[in-house]
Amino acid sequence: MAPLKTIFIALLAIAIGLYKVHIHLDAANLFPKVGRAIQRLDDFPDYQCRRMRHPLLESCEDVWLDSGRRRVYAACANPMVRVAWSPGGNSYDLAGRAAGGGGIDHITVLDIDQPGADGLHGVRELKFRDSQGNIQTLDLHGFDARVIDKGRRVRFWLINHRPPLDPFTGAPLLDATQVGANSTIDVYDLDLHHGDKLEHVKTIVSETIISPNNLVVIDDDEDKGGFLFTNDHNTKVSPSRDKEIGGSISYCRTDTGECHFAATENFSFPNGITRDPFSGLIYIAHSARGTVTVHRVVHDQQLVQIDEISLSMGVDNLSIDTDGNIFAATIPDHDQFIRAFHDPYGTDAPSTVVTIKKKRRDAEVSSVKEEYEVIKVVEDGEARILPTTTCAVHDPISSRLFLGALSSPFMVVCEKQE
C-alpha cells in the first residue's frame, strides 16, 4: 500500500498547487508523463520557431489575427502585474499590481509579413483613449475583434479586470479579496487611417459578468455586435473558490448592453472560446477537463452542447483560422506551468499547440455528427524556445504560428519550413 499512498500524496500536492492558478484537472491528467510522452521541439521539423523579445511583447495572454490587413494584435502586460493581479486565479495583490505598473496593459500590433531587420515585425503599441482624448488604463485578459465600417475600423471587445479603485486617486474603495474584480467588457474602435489609438465606444456592465476569461463575437450584424464570453468560475470570490470547478457562458449585445446567461451546466473552468464562421458552431475549452465542447446557438441566443473533443491535457485559449481549423494552446506539464507562472523571468514550462480539424467540410450544420481529428502541431517538452503558451493563432497564407503567453516575457513566431 505504500506506493499507492505515495502516489495519492503526490497527486494531492499537485492538485493543491493547481488550485492556486485554478487549472483543475482530472487526476489522470495531473501526471504528464504517465501514458503520454512530452516531445522535444526538434521532433517537429516542419516548423522553425524563434523568440521575439521586446517590452511590448511581454505577457501577451491573447492574440487576434487580421488576415486581410496582415496584422496580429495582442493583449499584453507586465508579467509581474499578471502574477499579482489575476482575479481568475484568486490573485488580488493591489500593491504588487501598482508596483509593476498595473492598469497600463496595452494592445500590441505586429505586421506579420514585415519582420524587419530585428525580426520584431514593426512592434508598436495602441493607446486607449476616452471620448475627450484622455489616456485610459485597463487590466486586460481575453478579447476578440472584427473589421467594421466597410474596412475603415477595427472594433475590439476587451475583458477588463478593473480593480475596485477610485478612478481619480487610485485608492482602493473596497477590499478586492472580499469583493473580487470589478470586471467589465470594454469596447474600443481603431481607425485604420489614424492607427495609433483606440477610442472608447462602450463599457458593458452586467451581473452575468462574473469571472470573464475570453470572448467571441458571433453576430454578423456589426451594429448589434452580439458576443459570447466564458466565466471561468461561478463566483467572483468565496471561501471555497479554490475548490470550485464550474463556470458559465453569457451572451451580450453591444448596442443595448443587455446580457443574459447562455449556458450554465456542465462547465469545468471554461476558458477559450471561438466560433466556426462556416457552420456557426461554438467551441469552448474546458481547462479542468482537458476537452473542447461543441455547441449550437439556438433561440434567444442559448447554447446547446452537441459534442465533446478530448485533448487529454489542460487547454487554454482557442482560435480558428480562415480555413476553419481550430488551434488550441495546451498545457502538458501542469506542475511546471505553475512554477513558470509565478516566476516568469526565471522559469519556463513545456507547452503544446494542437489543431482540431473536421473530417468533413459541410458549409451548413447538418444532422450528422461531426468527426474531428486532433493533431499535435508543435511541442517543446524542454521549454527551450516556446513560451508558457496560452494562445496560438495560425495564418494559412504565410503558414506561420504566433504564440503568446499569460506571463512569459516574450512571444514566439514559428515559420513553416518548405
Side-chain angles (χ1 to χ4, degrees):
M1 295 300 292
L4 289 176
K5 183 176 180 181
T6 301
I7 292 173
F8 174 78
I9 292 172
L11 284 171
L12 182 61
I14 294 172
I16 290 170
L18 290 173
Y19 285 138
K20 293 179 181 178
V21 290
H22 293 273
I23 299 176
H24 319 287
L25 290 160
D26 295 335
N29 290 326
L30 291 175
F31 267 127
K33 297 181 181 179
V34 174
R36 183 176 58 80
I38 304 178
Q39 294 175 263
R40 301 164 62 244
L41 191 58
D42 293 343
D43 293 339
F44 300 87
D46 287 348
Y47 283 95
Q48 185 70 35
C49 301
R50 62 178 175 84
R51 293 181 174 182
M52 297 184 292
R53 291 188 178 274
H54 188 277
L56 295 178
L57 295 173
E58 295 187 324
S59 199
C60 299
E61 203 275 338
D62 199 11
V63 178
W64 180 76
L65 168 67
D66 182 354
S67 179
R69 286 144 200 82
R70 314 302 297 148
R71 290 176 178 172
V72 155
Y73 297 89
C76 309
N78 180 310
M80 299 314 297
V81 172
R82 297 280 200 206
V83 174
W85 180 253
S86 293
N90 277 4
S91 295
Y92 302 107
D93 180 2
L94 290 178
R97 172 187 175 275
I104 57 171
D105 297 8
H106 50 273
I107 296 292
T108 293
V109 189
L110 301 176
D111 297 313
I112 61 176
D113 293 334
Q114 302 173 40
D118 58 5
L120 295 177
H121 293 269
V123 60
R124 57 198 180 276
E125 174 187 7
L126 300 179
K127 302 286 188 181
F128 295 102
R129 295 188 183 275
D130 62 18
S131 57
Q132 285 75 45
N134 301 312
I135 293 179
Q136 295 182 297
T137 59
L138 284 83
D139 291 84
L140 300 177
H141 201 135
F143 76 101
D144 197 12
R146 290 290 183 274
V147 177
I148 63 169
D149 193 19
K150 299 180 180 179
R152 290 188 284 264
R153 290 181 291 154
V154 179
R155 175 159 290 179
F156 291 80
W157 288 259
L158 305 156
I159 291 173
N160 181 15
H161 290 304
R162 303 184 301 179
L165 301 178
D166 185 312
F168 300 103
T169 67
L173 293 173
L174 299 168
D175 184 349
T177 64
Q178 299 299 313
V179 301
N182 185 17
S183 299
T184 57
I185 310 297
D186 284 47
V187 185
Y188 282 81
D189 280 357
L190 171 67
D191 185 335
L192 291 171
H193 298 293
H194 305 87
D196 62 345
K197 60 180 180 292
L198 291 158
E199 297 180 349
H200 183 257
V201 175
K202 177 173 285 190
T203 294
I204 298 174
V205 179
S206 169
E207 292 183 355
T208 71
I209 303 174
I210 301 170
S211 183
N213 191 302
N214 213 315
L215 59 80
V216 62
V217 178
I218 65 169
D219 280 330
D220 295 326
D221 182 346
E222 63 185 50
D223 293 326
K224 183 178 179 181
F227 60 90
L228 294 164
F229 66 90
T230 57
N231 284 306
D232 53 37
H233 286 80
N234 292 323
T235 58
K236 286 181 176 289
V237 288
S238 75
S240 60
R241 198 170 188 256
D242 281 352
K243 301 175 179 63
E244 180 184 307
I245 300 178
S248 61
I249 312 299
S250 294
Y251 169 83
C252 297
R253 284 181 55 159
T254 303
D255 56 352
T256 65
E258 296 177 351
C259 305
H260 66 256
F261 287 109
T264 58
E265 302 293 332
N266 196 34
F267 292 106
S268 301
F269 196 102
N271 197 323
I273 183 170
T274 194
R275 174 181 181 265
D276 187 332
F278 302 106
S279 67
L281 292 176
I282 305 298
Y283 295 86
I284 300 172
H286 296 251
S287 294
R289 216 156 60 217
T291 66
V292 173
T293 51
V294 188
H295 304 255
R296 280 200 186 98
V297 181
V298 296
H299 61 87
D300 297 329
Q301 305 300 331
Q302 297 293 311
L303 288 184
V304 174
Q305 182 177 328
I306 60 172
D307 208 346
E308 186 164 8
I309 306 162
S310 176
L311 304 186
S312 299
M313 63 181 111
V315 55
D316 203 297
N317 283 325
L318 304 176
S319 68
I320 192 162
D321 68 15
T322 53
D323 291 338
N325 300 313
I326 300 164
F327 285 76
T330 59
I331 305 165
D333 187 333
H334 306 91
D335 197 23
Q336 188 64 15
F337 178 90
I338 294 163
R339 295 190 188 102
F341 173 81
H342 289 289
D343 182 22
Y345 290 105
T347 305
D348 296 315
S351 61
T352 310
V353 176
V354 304
T355 183
I356 303 169
K357 294 186 175 184
K358 289 183 181 180
K359 292 185 177 180
R360 297 185 302 108
R361 289 290 184 185
D362 294 344
E364 301 294 333
V365 179
S366 71
S367 59
V368 179
K369 189 173 183 179
E370 295 281 4
E371 293 185 6
Y372 297 93
E373 183 180 15
V374 179
I375 303 168
K376 194 183 292 184
V377 181
V378 289
E379 186 168 64
D380 188 358
E382 299 171 318
R384 186 168 53 88
I385 293 178
L386 301 190
T388 307
T389 308
T390 58
C391 60
V393 297
H394 176 246
D395 172 38
I397 295 174
S398 65
S399 298
R400 293 191 190 98
L401 289 168
F402 289 87
L403 312 182
L406 175 64
S407 61
S408 293
F410 54 87
M411 283 185 66
V412 164
V413 58
C414 296
E415 305 264 359
K416 188 73 176 287
Q417 302 301 293
E418 298 295 335

